[in-house]
Amino acid sequence: MANIICIANQKGGVGKTTTAINLAAALAVSEKKTLLVDCDPQGNATTGLGIDKNAIDVTLYHGMIGKSEVEDLIFDSELDPLKIIPARVELIGVEVEMINEPNREIVLKRLLSRVEDLFDYIILDCPPSLSLLTVNAVTAANYILIPLQCEFYALEGLSQLLQTIKRIKASFNSELKIAGILLTMYDTRTNLSHQVAEDAGKYFKNLVFKTRVPRNVRLGEAPSFGKPILLYDAASAGAKSYFALAEEIINI
């Protein structure tokens, strides 16, 4: 049965999708059968793995509203052990179409239960909000991974996310654990990065991953080529950091 890891933070621009794509790729390269599920209507994880959103007929949306079987939503990537369930803008419609659904928080969990035995890891990339899609992802997950950018106000809003996690644990998913907090956009040259890292370590202690994802030009370039960093520039600092993160995840 797969370890299902939800990557969430209601703040945008913290490295959620970058982490989802590259962690999934690093796990796949580590010979783990991995499924990346794009739960964000922006569909950035989809394009980041080289999927043309206009050339496909079905996405996560069709599975969540019951129009497609989950097996029909799974697409190949350049890495054989890595598959993806794509998303695009129609996924926004799930919020409206499920408003009267009595068990709307567990739709994704039910959908993935059909294929979770086929994978070692399922990575869920969430939208930058505490929406129904995010609640579905957190409810479906065994673990939540929280990217935290090393910037001003980084810790602001994290308490809100942690309160939401606590409520979801109480109501829908008592088994949910925090895999860890991942420091992203870390710049060893700035006092601010060091301060955020110090504060995170002080408040969250062992919950902070040892791996820190650096600010890295190659990491920023890779999605425009539809490739994870491991295929775009395996020797880059960004690639090395996600290999290190995958190792920490495997050892949880």
Side-chain angles (χ1 to χ4, degrees), residues 1 25 36 48 88 104 109 174 192-193 196 228 238:
M1 188 174 290
L36 175 59
R88 60 186 173 208
R104 58 186 178 273
K109 185 181 179 74
S174 61
L192 184 57
S193 282
V196 171

Side-chain angles (χ1 to χ4, degrees), residues 16-87:
K16 280 190 302 297
T17 299
T18 298
T19 295
I21 292 169
N22 293 302
L23 173 59
L27 288 167
V29 170
S30 302
E31 300 183 344
K32 303 295 183 185
K33 292 179 182 176
T34 305
L35 175 65
L36 175 59
V37 184
D38 193 344
C39 302
D40 187 347
Q42 294 177 86
N44 291 335
T46 300
T47 52
L49 275 190
I51 305 285
D52 181 355
K53 289 184 281 195
N54 297 316
I56 55 178
D57 296 322
V58 290
T59 66
L60 179 61
Y61 166 78
H62 298 93
M64 289 191 74
I65 64 167
K67 286 192 174 178
S68 293
E69 300 296 329
V70 66
E71 295 85 353
D72 298 327
L73 307 176
I74 298 173
F75 290 75
D76 293 332
S77 76
E78 281 190 66
L79 295 166
D80 191 50
L82 176 58
K83 310 298 182 187
I84 182 169
I85 294 180

Side-chain angles (χ1 to χ4, degrees), residues 13-173:
V14 300
K16 280 190 302 297
T17 299
T18 298
T19 295
I21 292 169
N22 293 302
L23 173 59
L27 288 167
V29 170
S30 302
E31 300 183 344
K32 303 295 183 185
K33 292 179 182 176
T34 305
L35 175 65
L36 175 59
V37 184
D38 193 344
C39 302
D40 187 347
Q42 294 177 86
N44 291 335
T46 300
T47 52
L49 275 190
I51 305 285
D52 181 355
K53 289 184 281 195
N54 297 316
I56 55 178
D57 296 322
V58 290
T59 66
L60 179 61
Y61 166 78
H62 298 93
M64 289 191 74
I65 64 167
K67 286 192 174 178
S68 293
E69 300 296 329
V70 66
E71 295 85 353
D72 298 327
L73 307 176
I74 298 173
F75 290 75
D76 293 332
S77 76
E78 281 190 66
L79 295 166
D80 191 50
L82 176 58
K83 310 298 182 187
I84 182 169
I85 294 180
R88 60 186 173 208
V89 70
E90 73 252 12
L91 190 57
I92 294 171
V94 164
E95 303 270 343
V96 176
E97 293 184 47
M98 290 188 169
I99 199 153
N100 295 317
E101 180 75 32
N103 295 310
R104 58 186 178 273
E105 297 88 359
I106 61 169
V107 171
L108 183 61
K109 185 181 179 74
R110 284 177 174 169
L111 190 70
L112 294 177
S113 68
R114 304 256 315 256
V115 293
E116 63 181 322
D117 288 342
L118 304 177
F119 296 96
D120 299 309
Y121 289 92
I122 298 176
I123 307 296
L124 311 178
D125 183 33
C126 291
S129 63
L130 298 176
S131 62
L132 179 60
L133 288 166
T134 300
V135 171
N136 260 266
V138 178
T139 301
N142 310 118
Y143 294 96
I144 182 165
L145 186 158
I146 305 168
L148 186 73
Q149 83 280 27
C150 292
E151 294 180 355
F152 201 56
Y153 295 134
L155 296 171
E156 195 174 275
L158 195 55
S159 59
Q160 185 185 354
L161 178 61
L162 294 173
Q163 285 300 317
T164 300
I165 292 168
K166 191 181 290 185
R167 285 196 296 272
I168 289 172
K169 277 189 73 167
S171 302
F172 308 114
N173 187 0

Side-chain angles (χ1 to χ4, degrees), residues 7-9 14-16 18-20 23 144-150 158 178-186 196 200 207-214 241-242 244-246 248-249:
I7 299 178
N9 189 326
V14 300
K16 280 190 302 297
T18 298
T19 295
L23 173 59
I144 182 165
L145 186 158
I146 305 168
L148 186 73
Q149 83 280 27
C150 292
L158 195 55
I178 297 177
I181 294 168
L182 176 68
L183 298 176
T184 62
M185 305 174 197
Y186 186 80
V196 171
L207 281 179
V208 181
F209 285 108
K210 293 183 180 69
T211 301
R212 296 172 182 179
V213 179
S241 67
Y242 279 110
L245 177 64
E248 286 197 69
I249 290 290

